[in-house]
């Protein structure tokens, strides 16, 4: 069992930066791939980024490539999402997720077994 708690969201002006954290409990954290998703009001939850269990592979949605960076520290049971050059369209609730993901399914919500409660990111123009 893995429990995930996100933090680091907030209100920021366009062009600004945030670093989201996802703290995990449970000894199996280091064996799971991690993903970040986001959901804006009235829209479906969408994939943002994912990282393999070792941290050796990372993947990004085209809309965030070059601005978002996913990372993890298995010694601290924590995953991160660094968000730079924020845009108003990045406004959403951001969720972290964990699971035995594969490359083929890393963008799929159902591939992840565990989810955090989400953290709100609001970008003003």
């Amino acid at each position: 069992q893995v429990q995930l708690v996100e933090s680091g969201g907030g209100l920021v002006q366009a062009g600004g930066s945030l670093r989201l954290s996802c703290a995990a409990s449970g000894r199996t954290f280091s064996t799971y791939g991690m993903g970040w998703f986001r959901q804006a009001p009235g829209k479906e939850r969408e994939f943002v980024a994912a990282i393999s269990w070792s941290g050796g592979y990372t993947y990004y949605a085209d809309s965030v490539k070059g601005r978002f960076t996913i990372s993890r520290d298995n010694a601290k049971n924590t995953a991160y999402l660094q968000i730079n050059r924020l845009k108003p369209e990045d406004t959403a609730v951001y969720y972290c997720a964990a699971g035995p993901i594969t490359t083929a399914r890393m963008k799929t919500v159902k591939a992840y077994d565990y989810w955090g409660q989400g953290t709100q990111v609001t970008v003003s123009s």
Side-chain angles (χ1 to χ4, degrees), residues 75-119:
K76 295 182 178 180
N77 275 13
T78 303
Y80 305 96
L81 186 68
Q82 177 69 41
I83 309 175
N84 297 327
R85 304 198 306 277
L86 276 156
K87 304 176 181 180
E89 51 263 43
D90 293 322
T91 295
V93 177
Y94 284 71
Y95 298 89
C96 67
I101 58 172
T102 62
T103 303
R105 301 190 69 218
M106 61 181 178
K107 298 181 180 180
T108 306
V109 169
K110 292 183 178 179
Y112 295 83
D113 295 334
Y114 305 102
W115 291 83
Q117 83 291 346
T119 185

Side-chain angles (χ1 to χ4, degrees), residues 12-105:
V12 64
Q13 288 188 331
S17 298
L18 284 173
R19 188 174 83 153
L20 308 184
S21 298
C22 175
S25 64
R27 291 177 289 179
T28 56
F29 170 80
S30 62
T31 66
Y32 286 131
M34 298 293 297
W36 284 94
F37 289 74
R38 66 186 181 186
Q39 189 166 17
K43 295 187 177 181
E44 293 187 352
R45 193 167 297 190
E46 66 171 355
F47 170 77
V48 173
I51 189 168
S52 62
W53 66 269
S54 67
Y57 297 94
T58 57
Y59 312 92
Y60 298 93
D62 289 342
S63 59
V64 306
K65 281 181 182 177
R67 297 190 299 122
F68 289 22
T69 303
I70 189 171
S71 61
R72 67 189 296 163
D73 185 339
N74 287 343
K76 295 182 178 180
N77 275 13
T78 303
Y80 305 96
L81 186 68
Q82 177 69 41
I83 309 175
N84 297 327
R85 304 198 306 277
L86 276 156
K87 304 176 181 180
E89 51 263 43
D90 293 322
T91 295
V93 177
Y94 284 71
Y95 298 89
C96 67
I101 58 172
T102 62
T103 303
R105 301 190 69 218

